[in-house]
Amino acid sequence: MQPHRPRDAARSRERRASLQALCKELDVVYTTRARNEHAKAGNLNAALQHLEGELVLVLDADHVPSRDFLARTVGYMVENPRLFLVQTPHFFTNRDPIERNLELPETSPSENEMFYAQIHRGLDRFGGAFFCGSAALLRRQALDEVGGIAGETITEDAETALDIHSRGWESLYLDHAMVAGLQPETFASFIQQRGRWATGMIQMLMLKNPIFRSGLSLKQRLCYLNSMSFWLFPAIRMVFLLMPLLYLFFGLEIYVVTTQEVLAYIVPYLLIGFMVQNALFGSFRWPQISEVYEIAQTPYLLKAVVHTVLRPRDASFKVTAKDETLDHSFLSPVYAPLAVLAALLLAGLVAGAFRWAAFPGDRAVVEIVGAWNLYNFLLVAYALRAVFERPDRLERPRCGISSAALLRWCGVALSDDEQVPEVSAEIVAITPRRVSLHLGNDTRSRYGRVFREGASTGLQVELAPILPRNPELEAPLPLKVRTVRSDVDGTLIELDVAPAQMIAASRLTAHLVYGDSLRWHFFRKVYPQGSTLIAGLAYVAGKSLVSVPKSAIGFVTEPARRRREATEEAMHSEPAFVAPVLDRPDPRPARAPLEAAAAVGAADYLVIEE
């Protein structure tokens, strides 16, 4: 039972009141339920009772669609009356915590692209593309035929698709991202999300095994079985990690092999496997990165998998937090399982060194098993960096824009007879509450007295976007200067949007940030770079070696960091690192997607989860 926190309750009431007011202003239906039965599935089914449309677009609360979503998807439904689903990829404007904390280059393909760019295309070819919970268009008739969104498991999306597929309906996967969403911000939230996925898929495997489900084709059975059984990887991965320790600690030889046999059979097998993986998936996953991702999740998901196998009906739905922000580095509170695993493997290396010195006759075996354990330790050491949270500032923001505009200064004069004229500017970031502009060096040289740090703060200005194809959005937008920063490339001006202008700013945000899905295509298909096998292996090996001292230093300095944080919290009523994302200066998407979604005309209904 959760303890009662009056301050949190008051904030929740305040957020609900403001959201209800916003819904009323945007003409969006707001609904809620007295009891939160069946979590997300229950919310969707409750909403369906009030809707009469033939097609249903499902979006997560943090997903904002592009303006062309319906134009690119509805035609498939019209063309094929037996099509119940058009699923599109989930694109994220921020990086996931593992990708960020491991300091992977921005050109490294995102972890979810392996699924959306490769695996789901294969599922679609076999007729097994399934509903992924968001960014999907569904046919109401098919939903009604199975009684709505399924709720027996906590992965209601895949479960619903399984039920509908078994009735002969067809699905389609369209590999073109048309939603922008948010990854979990912290490692703890990431693990909670993946734990829910693992639990739900194992529930389906136990309760609705596709092998025995009538109505599915053989290919569809294999598709669903593959998607469900994948989440057994924590058990397999843990065996792989701990097996060498049985010999290093206890002298147990699981199988006997010589050095010559290792070189002749095992090493070539591993290298060929790496070569095949890189040949097939090198453009979507760097070599060994999948290993690190799975290892980072293994000690956490293993408990969920085992518990679900033993008690498949005991799982409960937990919403993944998407409102967290990181302004400083810290050690994740869930670091212990992964740290213990790393410590065990390190102890195995010490035990191996002792066994090599104490038992000269066993040195050949010790060398083979020790090498295996060393390989495991290096991967775990790199994965351990995932628990050291660090802020992220993308060099190339995935929601970054470049749009021409005119900036007009209100009541500012260079002299008694010379007013500051309107100047050309470039909108480089925008949210419903903040706009970032870039001014060239020529403007700064001409009007340097105005465009200098501190001189313009608080001044009133007007921003007139230049949008020839959308003249209705070119109306001047009143703003107030927040900060002015100059560098060798020009001047960056951050402007605050007044509450009265928030709707107009939301419409402009929707058009500039979410108006063209081809921008997201660039970050999925063009910007990421593949890696060769040797380069990928060398990259992970180098990062693993560097991770050992960095993690050691991190654990040693963590107590001092916590003491400093406790001192800061004692001096302030609110934690210093928590700030509304809409007030952050870095160009990130608004975490109020309702405003943008309503502005692009893609959402006319809202369900609030209690």
Side-chain angles (χ1 to χ4, degrees), residues 217-386:
S217 68
L218 177 60
K219 291 180 179 180
Q220 288 176 324
R221 295 176 196 272
L222 293 177
C223 287
Y224 277 104
L225 182 63
N226 172 76
S227 300
M228 297 172 191
S229 60
F230 163 78
W231 292 98
L232 295 171
F233 79 80
I236 300 170
R237 182 68 62 180
M238 190 61 76
V239 170
F240 179 83
L241 292 172
L242 298 183
M243 188 64 68
L245 300 181
L246 296 179
Y247 175 77
L248 297 175
F249 285 157
F250 310 111
L252 299 177
E253 294 189 43
I254 306 302
Y255 60 90
V256 179
V257 64
T258 65
T259 303
Q260 292 77 12
E261 290 170 338
V262 169
L263 295 176
Y265 298 106
I266 298 179
V267 172
Y269 168 78
L270 293 175
L271 290 177
I272 291 173
F274 292 154
M275 292 172 63
V276 171
Q277 292 176 34
N278 196 64
L280 294 176
F281 311 121
S283 300
F284 303 96
R285 183 64 52 82
W286 286 8
Q288 296 297 92
I289 293 298
S290 291
E291 305 283 316
V292 176
Y293 260 88
E294 288 191 5
I295 288 173
Q297 301 172 67
T298 288
Y300 303 92
L301 302 191
L302 181 60
K303 179 180 178 182
V305 169
V306 172
H307 181 81
T308 306
V309 170
L310 297 177
R311 298 181 177 179
R313 298 187 182 277
D314 282 359
S316 60
F317 189 100
K318 295 181 180 179
V319 178
T320 304
K322 298 290 183 70
D323 57 350
E324 301 166 305
T325 62
L326 291 177
D327 288 337
H328 73 291
S329 300
F330 63 94
L331 180 63
S332 174
V334 298
Y335 73 90
L338 200 52
V340 169
L341 179 59
L344 276 175
L345 298 181
L346 180 60
L349 293 177
V350 176
F354 172 80
R355 187 172 291 275
W356 189 89
F359 304 100
D362 294 343
R363 286 182 177 178
V365 179
V366 172
E367 289 169 358
I368 295 172
V369 180
W372 181 3
N373 188 69
L374 176 61
Y375 172 74
N376 288 345
F377 172 72
L378 290 177
L379 289 180
V380 173
Y382 189 24
L384 184 61
R385 296 301 304 162

Side-chain angles (χ1 to χ4, degrees), residues 18-30 594 606:
S18 62
L19 184 56
Q20 288 174 326
L22 180 61
C23 290
K24 183 177 180 180
E25 187 172 359
L26 295 175
D27 195 25
V28 173
V29 178
Y30 176 100
L594 172 61
L606 173 66

